[in-house]
Amino acid sequence: RQRKLELEKMREDHSREIEDLRQQHERAVAIAKRQADMEAEMLRKEQTGEQVLNKLAQQVQGQVLEIEKMSRHVAMDKSLEWNARERNLEESEARVREKEAKLAVQEKGMEDQRQRVADLVRRLEESQVDDRSVRADEQDRLHKEHQRLLELQRTVREADRSNKEALKRSSE
C-alpha cells in the first residue's frame, strides 16, 4: 500500500514537473517571440525590404525550433527519470516479495521445529509418567520383598532360638 502511495506521489510529482516545464516552455517561447518581434520591428525601422523580413523570420523560426527541441529534450529526460524511478520501485517490490517468501519459509521451518519440540516434550512427559509408574511398582515390590525377608529372618531367628533351647534341654 505504501508503495502504491509512493508511486501515486511520484506520478503527481511527475505531472507537476511536466506542467512546470510546459509553462516554462510557453514563457520561453513568448519571450523569444517578443524578442524576435522587437528585433523585427527595429530592423524594419532601420531598413525596409523583403530580405530583412525573411532573415528575421528565419531567425525567429530557428529560435522556435530550438526551444521546441529543448522542450522535447527536457520532456524525454523527465520520462527517462520517471521510468528509472518506476523500475527502481518494481525492483524494490520484487526484493520485498523475495524476502517475504524467505520469511514464510523460515516461519514454516520454525513451526516445524516447534512442533517437533512439542512432540519431544510430550514423549518425555509420557516417559516420565511411565518411569514413575514402574518406579512405584518396583518400590512396592521391594517393600513387599523386604517385609517377606524380615518375616523370614524373624522365623529363622525363632527357629534358631528354639533349636538352641532344645539343644540346651537335651544336653541337660
Side-chain angles (χ1 to χ4, degrees), residues 7 37-38 49 71-72 77 111-112 120 122 126 142:
L7 185 60
D37 288 345
M38 288 188 329
S71 176
R72 282 192 303 271
D77 284 351
E111 180 60 28
D112 291 345
L120 287 172
R122 183 184 46 76
E126 289 172 356
L142 286 174

Side-chain angles (χ1 to χ4, degrees), residues 24-40 56 59-68:
Q24 288 175 0
H25 172 69
E26 287 176 4
R27 279 187 293 230
V29 168
I31 289 170
K33 193 172 184 180
R34 278 193 301 260
Q35 285 178 345
D37 288 345
M38 288 188 329
E39 287 177 14
L56 287 175
Q59 287 177 349
V60 168
Q61 188 176 12
Q63 288 178 354
V64 168
L65 291 174
E66 184 65 29
I67 290 172
E68 287 176 357

Side-chain angles (χ1 to χ4, degrees), residues 34-48:
R34 278 193 301 260
Q35 285 178 345
D37 288 345
M38 288 188 329
E39 287 177 14
E41 186 64 32
M42 286 175 29
L43 287 175
R44 252 186 269 141
K45 288 180 181 176
E46 290 178 5
Q47 299 177 355
T48 58

